[in-house]
Every structure is written in structure tokens, then in C-alpha cells.
Amino acid sequence: MRENKTQIVIGSDHAAYQLKEKIKAYLIESGMDVKDVGTYSEDSVDYADFGIKVSKMVSAGEYERGILFCGTGLGMSMVANKFPHVRAGLCSGLFSAIMSRRHNDSNILVMGGRVIGEELAKEIVRVWLETPFEGGRHQLRIDKFDRIEEMM
Ligand code: RB5
């Protein structure tokens, strides 16, 4: 029953490889269908390569949600937010994770493997997946993001 599972694409660099693996296990245990685009070890890589892979898939609508990890989460969020239709939120606490869904309809969650621990990261993922977008005035606000490219 693959089509009934929430599909999610994840990726990290070496700095957050361990956290990605732990969150991957948590997502699978929670019944999700997880696509892991790498990295697959702690050998040094460039975070942009993995940020691009995940963001491309979310931007194209192949996956509704993605999760990215790097050391701080900063580089991955900078990469992800360059893609059309991607709204990536860097979260190191529960309030940001909830609000990134309620007000920003974030479709990529970004976390820093050198910033937060496993248990907090799991809680952030849980609330981020459970919290709905409020729509209304917030939809009108995020609609303006799509017009940015036309202004360039
Ligand atoms: C890698 O050392 C580190 O720069 C990367 O994981 C990330 O924190 C970049 O923003």
C-alpha cells in the first residue's frame, strides 16, 4: 500500500549524516516512505549537491515534503530557498517548526546536526509533519514569493 504512505525526501552532508540516519529511522518507524538521496557516509562532501537534489524534487512536485540537514542548517536553507515553490524553514526549536507550517506552509524542514540533538530533532519533525497550514491571509502572503522571479 505504498500510495497511502506519506512520501518524504531527505538529504544531508557529512556534518549531519548521523542525524539524518537517526531521523530516517524515526520516519520509517512512523510509517513513512522515505527517499534518501545521500550522503551515505561521513566522508566530506559539498552540502549544495544534496540540497539541490532534494530541493529539485520538492520544487518539481515529485515530493510534497523534504528534510535537509547540514552542520548548521544555514547552507542547506540558502540553497533550498533558491528553488521555485520551495519554502524551506531552518528550525532549531518547536515553536519555529510549528509556525513554519502554520504561517509559511514550509515544504522543506532544515536542521543543523551540529546545533540540535536527536530527541529534539525527532520532536521537531513530528510537529512539523502534524501541523497544518492556516491558509487565508498567509496564503496571500506566500503567493507573493512566486512573483519574485518575475520581478528579476
Ligand atoms: C560543513 O563543514 C559545514 O560548512 C556545513 O555542514 C554547513 O554547516 C554549511 O552551512
Side-chain angles (χ1 to χ4, degrees):
M1 291 290 109
R2 196 183 154 79
E3 54 279 12
N4 291 333
K5 286 188 172 183
T6 304
Q7 293 191 322
I8 191 151
V9 57
I10 67 171
S12 79
D13 72 353
H14 57 287
Y17 167 73
Q18 293 293 345
L19 185 61
K20 171 178 68 74
E21 290 301 301
K22 285 167 185 157
I23 294 301
K24 179 164 72 174
Y26 171 71
L27 291 168
I28 293 168
E29 272 167 34
S30 306
M32 279 162 221
D33 192 354
V34 183
K35 164 94 176 161
D36 179 1
V37 301
T39 189
Y40 304 119
S41 77
E42 288 184 289
D43 294 345
S44 184
V45 291
D46 296 333
Y47 60 84
D49 295 332
F50 299 90
I52 289 167
K53 283 187 190 186
V54 167
S55 305
K56 244 185 180 175
M57 288 166 137
V58 174
S59 183
E62 286 171 48
Y63 283 81
E64 203 179 319
R65 300 282 192 100
I67 305 181
L68 283 168
F69 309 82
C70 65
T72 58
L74 289 165
M76 284 298 197
S77 47
M78 289 174 191
V79 168
N81 280 314
K82 286 197 167 290
F83 283 77
H85 318 301
V86 166
R87 293 175 300 281
L90 171 57
C91 299
S92 49
L94 298 176
F95 183 66
S96 304
I98 291 168
M99 295 312 289
S100 82
R101 290 290 313 131
R102 280 191 192 160
H103 284 194
N104 314 115
D105 197 17
S106 63
N107 49 15
I108 294 187
L109 169 65
V110 189
M111 291 181 289
R114 292 173 177 164
V115 178
I116 56 170
E118 177 185 353
E119 293 310 316
L120 177 56
K122 282 183 193 165
E123 275 300 283
I124 288 173
V125 168
R126 186 182 63 74
V127 299
W128 184 74
L129 287 169
E130 284 176 6
T131 305
F133 176 47
E134 284 178 5
R137 68 185 187 281
H138 302 295
Q139 181 66 57
L140 299 177
R141 289 167 184 167
I142 67 171
D143 285 347
K144 295 193 175 183
F145 299 4
D146 292 336
R147 284 183 234 141
I148 292 171
E149 279 180 37
E150 295 159 25
M151 290 178 209
M152 302 296 174

